[in-house]
Amino acid sequence: MSRPASSNPPGRSPLRRGALTPTLIVVAVAVVGFIFFANVWTDVLWYQQLGFFEVYVRENLARIITFLVGFAMMFAAVFYAIRIAYHARPVYAPDAESRDNLNRYQAQLEPVRRVVMIGLPILFGLFAGSAAASQWQKVLLFFNQEPFGQTDPLFNMDISFYLMSLPFLGFVTGFLISIAVVAGIAGILTHYLYGSIRLMERGIFTSRAAQIHIAVTGAFFLLLLGVNFWLDRYTTVQSSSGRWAGALYTDVNAVVPTKAILAVAAGLVAILFIVAAVIGRWRLPVIGTAMLVITAILAGGVYPWVIQQFQVRPSENTLEREFIDRNIDMTRAAYGLDKIAVSAYNATTNATSGALAKDAQTAANIRLLDPNLISSAFSQLEQYRPYYQFPKTLNVDRYTIDGKVQDTVIAVRELNPEGLSATQQTWVNRHIVYTHGYGVVAAKGNKFTVDGKPEFLQSGIPSNGVLGNDTSYEPRIYFGENSPEYSVVGAPDGAPHREQDRPAGREGSGETQYTFTGNGGPNVGNWLNRILYSIKFQSSDLLLSDGVNEESQILYDRNPRDRVEKLAPYLTVDGNAYPAVVDGRVKWIVDGYTTSQYFPYSQPQQLQNATADSQTSAGRTVALPNSSVNYIRNSVKATVDAYDGSVTLYAWDDKDPILKAWQKVFPTVIKPYSEMSGDLMSHVRYPEDLFKVQRELLGRYHVTDADSFYQNNDAWSVPNDPTVSEAVKQPPFYMSLQMPDQDKPAFQLTSSFIPQTVGDNARNILYGFLAADSDAGNQKGVKADSYGQLRLLQLPTDTQVPGPGQAQNKFNSDPTVSQALNLLRQGASDVLNGNLLTLPVAGGLLYVQPVYLKSTGETSYPTLQRVLVAFGDKIGFAPTLDAALDQLFGGDSGATAGDSANTGQTPTTPPGTTPTGPTDAKADLKAALDEANKAIQDGQAALAKGDFAGYGEQQTKLSEALKKALEAETRLGVTPEPTPTTTATPSATPSPSPSN
């Protein structure tokens, strides 16, 4: 027979069939492997550059080892379950029909049997290993645990058992139960497939080998179930299923004993399974299993329900009293509320002359600048170029100036690449030329210029002011909250500068260029690193650009919070990082928390809900994750250098056992706070999110008597922010404040309380005022004893002191205020309410709210024009806080506010700034509005007396004042609107604005 002619051309060897597919697979695997290598190696370079390579190694080593152990255990269990069942298959099947069906299945499986017997264990092992690796923190805490030195009130176990041992033991037990179930199912299916188990008319046929296999697996499962029942006894103290967290009467008297009984019963049934495997009789283990199920239903479910319904509910107050006490004590300890200083505050509502004399220092420091509203003022006055930006909300800090502590509103001028024009949006500009922001801008919190602008302490380009200049501190901001994704910086000595440093200053200097000189990121000077980072950022420009040289560094992961989270994955990071000029550098200060959800008898809190307020709802502060915790400590203070991105972690709460455990895991990365400089100490604050969680709990847990707590007749709520339209909580406020038991003011974080809000039914009167001392001192490595002290002022429950909502309503509805604000709205301007501050002064509660005026132009910004104050039922309203306080307190408040010098004169120009508008016209406008306001007040007084002639005279003065105001507005370039008739005085509400 002749062979068919070959279709291949002469001289060419025939191609082997199927060569293309393996080649493509190999290439795909190589590409995926190289991409994986690129991501791993760039992470290695990043951690090494920061000096935190230990964190990367130990974290990933823990993940890998946990993964391998989990994988190996699941793989081995499933593999040997299948293997044992396969080798135990019978030689003959019970009947021909079943044999034919099984032979058909076996024949189909046989070609891939070896692959399946290896592949299935591998697949289940991968799932199990991944699940185990996600629990790496529990594993490390278990092997590095630290004692609390405090025991729980039920089992008298150290708290560390519940936070560090029990979660690990629960994880291991649950993991082993999963292995037993999966391996058992795999073994049973294999026995069935190969004939060791048969479904017959007379019942189920099971071979002797299958019986032994099932018995051993069942015994192992039941032993684990018994261990799980035993551990469940301890988890009752962590339960949150009842009205209060922890083990309550039913748990202690019904659940805990029945769990112990079930644990013993499961162990006994496991023994019966082993006996059955030996003697081959299954009656006892079957009966034992049925009894275990019945016992679990009756003892584990029905019995506790009966106890709860028929014994506890009729006498709940009496029977639960002991356990409510435990819940109160343990919750207060877990959240740091056990050392709170509570004092009664019988607040007066009478605003008497000279009442602020004892609070003169507090009055002088009352903050008038709202850090939310004045961001646009900072932008208009200090942004200079569209490629700079300020955050939506600024930060409140304090600096010592001329020996006095000055509350300060501060921000950094960050880079905004989106501000570049369309023609400038090139890769080189975005990643090589425009790389950093420039300078700190700060203003006095308690003062403003005569035309309502911030009174700057630090401003200008070049940066200049009391905080330093270009030679005394490093103004360049490479790392911030709005930095670009990545920048390539650095060059050899003598190379031309390529980075845009700063625009021309006010002095007329030219644009300056700069080259980064720090150690801020991994080197991309060699081709391997360039290729790897090109893959990481999916950018061919990074690989090919001539802007990358042998000394180039790549800066990325530049947000301070993100850097700390990545370097300390065991911390929950506060939502608000803030900048400070510290030791000649701009440092971002970030607060880190150690948390747990396993503290016994402690009430759990959802972090996202507990920390939500008008700031988070407006996106001005980062919301915390939606995780549940019942223990929290501000254990770490971190700093991130704004120039080179270097991160330093300080053990702030060095007594926290959880932090101690993590220090054993990562022994070199966390420094003691004794190494913190005095300058850094002076800018440490009490963290906002911790305070929010504490105040949320304090609404109920200020009550320490179990009977009152049960009745819930003195519960409080955090008031809603009255300056926004939606119903969201008022944020806490930083301010310098002297509490009644203090001898001098301290920088504090404050909040107030009103009666518990149920639906829309809220009585908006003040019940409490909370302040957290934020002054840590200014000595190197020495934390002030007063730092972190929580002080709670409790007002009598029959108090009539208005809450924030009532105070805002008084401002909005007052006829005089409404008329004056209507006048301010002339000339197409908007009136904006600033944050409403509450201060315990003059023996009562003082409310202070700045009022801003903003025109409708695109480049407009709010200027502070009036200040509203309230004390009891009286209010004051004037161009300055000083005048408003005098008006409120009978003509003489007894103290001098920070803006007392604002008497109408044109202010001197702050360092580094120049006047940006016709301030004389603005001053005239302000004076005219003051005259109009006075005419309105005098006219109303004359009208009340029936003096119509005097009323007419005041109306004439009002008309003249309005003409002057319109003339001044014309000089300012504002087109006036028609003046409304002065006889109509609608009660207008100032437009709302978010608070800080």
Side-chain angles (χ1 to χ4, degrees):
M1 181 183 293
S2 62
R3 296 181 179 179
S6 173
S7 60
N8 293 317
R12 179 178 297 179
S13 61
L15 292 175
R16 189 166 50 187
R17 289 183 179 181
L20 179 61
T21 300
T23 302
L24 291 176
I25 292 174
V26 170
V27 171
V29 169
V31 170
V32 171
F34 190 74
I35 293 173
F36 176 77
F37 169 75
N39 284 283
V40 170
W41 189 247
T42 51
D43 279 347
V44 168
L45 295 176
W46 189 84
Y47 279 93
Q48 282 183 331
Q49 185 273 324
L50 279 167
F52 282 76
F53 188 57
E54 175 187 83
V55 173
Y56 181 81
V57 171
R58 298 196 176 208
E59 176 186 343
N60 285 283
L61 196 60
R63 290 180 184 272
I64 292 170
I65 292 175
T66 308
F67 172 86
L68 291 176
V69 171
F71 174 86
M73 293 176 69
M74 180 64 81
F75 174 86
V78 176
F79 176 79
Y80 282 106
I82 296 174
R83 183 181 177 86
I84 290 170
Y86 175 75
H87 286 291
R89 66 192 186 281
V91 177
Y92 300 106
D95 57 69
E97 183 180 354
S98 299
R99 183 169 60 250
D100 290 342
N101 289 333
L102 289 174
N103 286 341
R104 192 178 305 116
Y105 295 143
Q106 292 168 11
Q108 293 175 352
L109 179 64
E110 188 60 28
V112 292
R113 177 178 58 81
R114 294 181 180 276
V115 175
V116 171
M117 291 181 67
I118 296 294
L120 276 179
I122 290 177
L123 181 63
F124 283 111
L126 290 174
F127 283 119
S130 299
S134 67
Q135 304 297 313
W136 66 277
Q137 293 194 17
K138 292 180 181 178
V139 175
L140 289 180
L141 280 179
F142 175 76
F143 288 106
N144 296 275
Q145 58 186 281
E146 282 282 323
F148 270 69
Q150 177 187 0
T151 59
D152 77 283
L154 181 59
F155 297 104
N156 292 317
M157 303 287 288
D158 190 90
I159 300 299
S160 63
F161 170 75
Y162 297 98
L163 271 66
M164 304 181 196
S165 294
L166 192 57
F168 172 78
L169 296 175
F171 154 64
V172 171
T173 305
F175 187 76
L176 292 176
I177 289 175
S178 300
I179 289 178
V181 170
V182 173
I185 293 173
I188 290 172
L189 290 176
T190 306
H191 279 300
Y192 175 77
L193 182 64
Y194 285 96
S196 296
I197 299 176
R198 286 286 185 274
L199 300 177
M200 304 174 61
E201 292 182 0
R202 293 169 296 175
I204 300 177
F205 167 79
T206 310
S207 69
R208 178 66 177 153
Q211 291 179 7
I212 295 174
H213 190 173
I214 294 172
V216 172
T217 303
F220 181 65
F221 172 79
L222 286 166
L223 284 174
L224 291 173
L225 195 62
V227 172
N228 195 58
F229 280 135
W230 189 260
L231 293 177
D232 281 348
R233 296 164 59 250
Y234 297 105
T235 61
T236 56
V237 301
Q238 301 166 332
S239 172
S240 58
S241 59
R243 290 184 60 187
W244 309 277
L248 306 179
Y249 182 90
T250 300
D251 298 310
V252 173
N253 294 280
V255 176
V256 171
T258 55
K259 292 290 185 183
I261 293 171
L262 288 171
V264 174
L268 292 175
V269 176
I271 295 174
L272 293 179
F273 269 84
I274 298 298
V275 172
V278 175
I279 66 175
R281 294 182 179 274
W282 288 86
R283 180 180 297 272
L284 288 178
V286 170
I287 293 174
T289 301
M291 292 300 296
L292 180 62
V293 172
I294 294 172
T295 304
I297 294 173
L298 294 178
V302 176
Y303 177 59
W305 180 84
V306 170
I307 294 295
Q308 181 67 29
Q309 294 297 316
F310 299 103
Q311 185 174 352
V312 176
R313 284 189 65 182
S315 307
E316 190 175 49
N317 189 16
T318 303
L319 296 180
E320 300 287 24
R321 182 181 293 115
E322 175 187 0
F323 308 104
I324 293 174
D325 276 329
R326 293 178 180 180
N327 173 259
I328 293 172
D329 293 341
M330 299 298 279
T331 298
R332 287 169 65 91
Y335 289 96
L337 300 175
D338 51 341
K339 295 181 176 61
I340 190 169
V342 182
S343 57
Y345 191 62
N346 296 316
T348 180
T349 56
N350 296 322
T352 58
S353 179
L356 289 179
K358 294 181 179 180
D359 300 290
Q361 289 181 283
T362 297
N365 285 315
I366 294 175
R367 179 168 55 80
L368 295 173
L369 295 191
D370 184 341
N372 299 314
L373 293 182
I374 64 169
S375 176
S376 57
F378 272 48
S379 296
Q380 290 299 319
L381 299 174
E382 289 294 328
Q383 182 172 311
Y384 290 101
R385 293 293 187 273
Y387 53 80
Y388 288 136
Q389 65 179 325
F390 289 97
K392 291 181 180 179
T393 185
L394 312 184
N395 281 284
V396 180
D397 200 356
R398 71 282 191 200
Y399 288 83
T400 301
I401 300 170
D402 297 330
K404 295 182 179 180
V405 176
Q406 171 70 59
D407 283 8
T408 306
V409 177
I410 189 170
V412 294
R413 191 185 288 108
E414 290 199 55
L415 186 66
N416 176 25
E418 302 305 320
L420 297 174
S421 65
T423 57
Q424 292 177 299
Q425 294 287 347
T426 64
W427 183 89
V428 172
N429 275 341
R430 292 180 64 90
H431 298 288
I432 292 181
V433 176
Y434 294 93
T435 59
H436 61 276
Y438 187 89
V440 167
V441 178
K444 295 179 180 180
N446 62 340
K447 297 183 180 181
F448 57 95
T449 65
V450 68
D451 50 350
K453 295 185 300 183
E455 187 171 315
F456 291 109
L457 292 166
Q458 187 77 23
S459 60
I461 292 182
S463 184
N464 189 30
V466 297
L467 306 186
N469 53 43
D470 284 10
T471 60
S472 61
Y473 89 101
E474 175 54 67
R476 296 169 183 88
I477 311 297
Y478 282 90
F479 293 83
E481 295 177 310
N482 297 289
S483 297
E485 181 185 16
Y486 69 92
S487 294
V488 179
V489 298
D493 293 339
H497 300 309
R498 301 197 64 170
E499 299 176 49
Q500 173 69 24
D501 189 32
R502 63 171 192 242
R506 293 185 184 276
E507 295 81 3
S509 58
E511 305 276 326
T512 62
Q513 307 297 312
Y514 182 75
T515 298
F516 179 78
T517 59
N519 180 20
N523 181 273
V524 286
N526 60 71
W527 276 100
L528 175 61
N529 287 1
R530 290 180 70 170
I531 292 172
L532 296 179
Y533 277 105
S534 296
I535 293 173
K536 180 179 180 68
F537 292 110
Q538 301 179 15
S539 171
S540 58
D541 296 296
L542 182 58
L543 179 64
L544 304 175
S545 174
D546 63 354
V548 184
N549 55 70
E550 64 273 16
E551 297 296 328
S552 290
Q553 304 172 40
I554 186 166
L555 314 181
Y556 61 99
D557 287 338
R558 299 161 78 171
N559 186 292
R561 293 184 71 259
D562 295 343
R563 289 175 84 79
V564 174
E565 285 179 336
K566 194 171 179 179
L567 296 175
Y570 46 87
L571 294 178
T572 300
V573 177
D574 191 270
N576 186 17
Y578 61 98
V581 179
V582 176
D583 300 320
R585 311 281 286 195
V586 178
K587 301 275 191 179
W588 292 95
I589 301 176
V590 185
D591 286 285
Y593 309 114
T594 45
T595 62
S596 176
Q597 57 179 325
Y598 302 114
F599 201 91
Y601 278 101
S602 178
Q603 198 70 26
Q605 290 284 292
Q606 290 289 334
L607 284 180
Q608 190 175 78
N609 294 336
T611 58
D613 59 19
S614 58
Q615 290 289 80
T616 57
S617 65
R620 290 183 168 87
T621 302
V622 178
L624 291 191
N626 190 25
S627 57
S628 178
V629 304
N630 66 1
Y631 171 89
I632 186 170
R633 290 290 184 271
N634 179 209
S635 53
V636 171
K637 299 284 189 185
T639 64
V640 179
D641 193 291
Y643 181 74
D644 61 19
S646 57
V647 179
T648 307
L649 305 178
Y650 296 99
W652 186 248
D653 187 350
D654 52 5
K655 300 294 190 297
D656 175 38
I658 298 181
L659 180 63
K660 286 183 177 180
W662 286 117
Q663 285 181 291
K664 290 168 69 175
V665 176
F666 306 112
T668 64
V669 300
I670 303 178
K671 297 181 178 180
Y673 73 80
S674 58
E675 295 188 20
M676 294 175 69
S677 70
D679 203 6
L680 177 57
M681 280 283 187
S682 67
H683 293 288
V684 164
R685 305 188 312 193
Y686 197 85
E688 287 185 69
D689 285 329
L690 172 61
F691 186 81
K692 291 178 188 178
V693 172
Q694 290 175 321
R695 73 172 181 175
E696 188 70 18
L697 278 160
L698 207 57
R700 289 201 66 193
Y701 286 88
H702 68 279
V703 177
T704 56
D705 176 73
D707 291 333
S708 297
F709 191 89
Y710 174 82
Q711 295 167 11
N712 198 32
N713 56 10
D714 189 24
W716 300 344
S717 293
V718 177
N720 287 334
D721 191 340
T723 66
V724 297
S725 56
E726 60 268 28
V728 288
K729 296 170 191 170
Q730 188 180 44
F733 300 112
Y734 287 105
M735 65 180 81
S736 287
L737 174 68
Q738 182 177 338
M739 292 290 281
D741 65 336
Q742 291 180 294
D743 55 4
K744 63 179 180 179
F747 192 66
Q748 319 230 24
L749 184 58
T750 66
S751 185
S752 56
F753 297 96
I754 61 173
Q756 186 178 45
T757 302
V758 180
D760 296 329
N761 184 18
R763 187 173 175 230
N764 206 287
I765 58 174
L766 216 62
Y767 267 19
F769 181 85
L770 179 66
D773 195 315
S774 294
D775 274 340
N778 56 9
Q779 297 183 41
K780 180 181 185 301
V782 179
K783 188 195 308 183
D785 294 336
S786 60
Y787 173 85
Q789 178 64 62
L790 295 174
R791 292 180 173 86
L792 176 64
L793 302 182
Q794 282 189 286
L795 281 69
T797 54
D798 59 352
T799 180
Q800 295 300 317
V801 177
Q806 279 195 15
Q808 188 69 61
N809 286 335
K810 287 180 183 294
F811 293 154
N812 295 344
S813 60
D814 184 86
T816 302
V817 173
S818 296
Q819 288 175 344
L821 295 182
N822 283 336
L823 289 173
L824 288 175
R825 288 189 178 92
Q826 301 306 308
S829 296
D830 292 329
V831 173
L832 306 175
N833 286 338
N835 43 205
L836 182 61
L837 304 180
T838 308
L839 299 95
V841 294
L845 278 302
L846 171 69
Y847 290 98
V848 178
Q849 183 176 59
V851 178
Y852 291 82
L853 184 67
K854 181 181 180 181
S855 65
T856 55
E858 292 184 1
T859 60
S860 63
Y861 56 89
T863 57
L864 200 156
Q865 295 295 326
R866 292 292 187 274
V867 181
L868 283 161
V869 293
F871 192 93
D873 292 327
K874 292 185 63 178
I875 68 170
F877 183 56
T880 65
L881 173 61
D882 191 67
L885 291 175
D886 284 341
Q887 184 184 118
L888 181 66
F889 290 98
D892 181 14
S893 66
T896 302
D899 63 350
S900 60
N902 284 13
T903 57
Q905 74 277 15
T906 303
T908 57
T909 303
T913 66
T914 59
T916 59
T919 55
D920 290 341
K922 289 185 177 181
D924 291 344
L925 173 60
K926 188 173 183 181
L929 292 174
D930 290 342
E931 291 178 14
N933 184 41
K934 187 175 185 303
I936 290 173
Q937 295 180 6
D938 292 344
Q940 292 294 326
L943 194 60
K945 297 177 182 178
D947 183 6
F948 295 99
Y951 177 76
E953 180 180 349
Q954 295 303 323
Q955 289 298 302
T956 302
K957 291 183 178 180
L958 175 59
S959 177
E960 293 174 354
L962 288 176
K963 289 180 181 179
K964 293 179 182 178
L966 293 173
E967 290 174 359
E969 285 184 331
T970 303
R971 287 155 53 200
L972 286 170
V974 178
T975 302
E977 293 182 349
T979 304
T981 58
T982 57
T983 55
T985 56
S987 179
T989 301
S991 58
S993 65
S995 295
N996 179 35

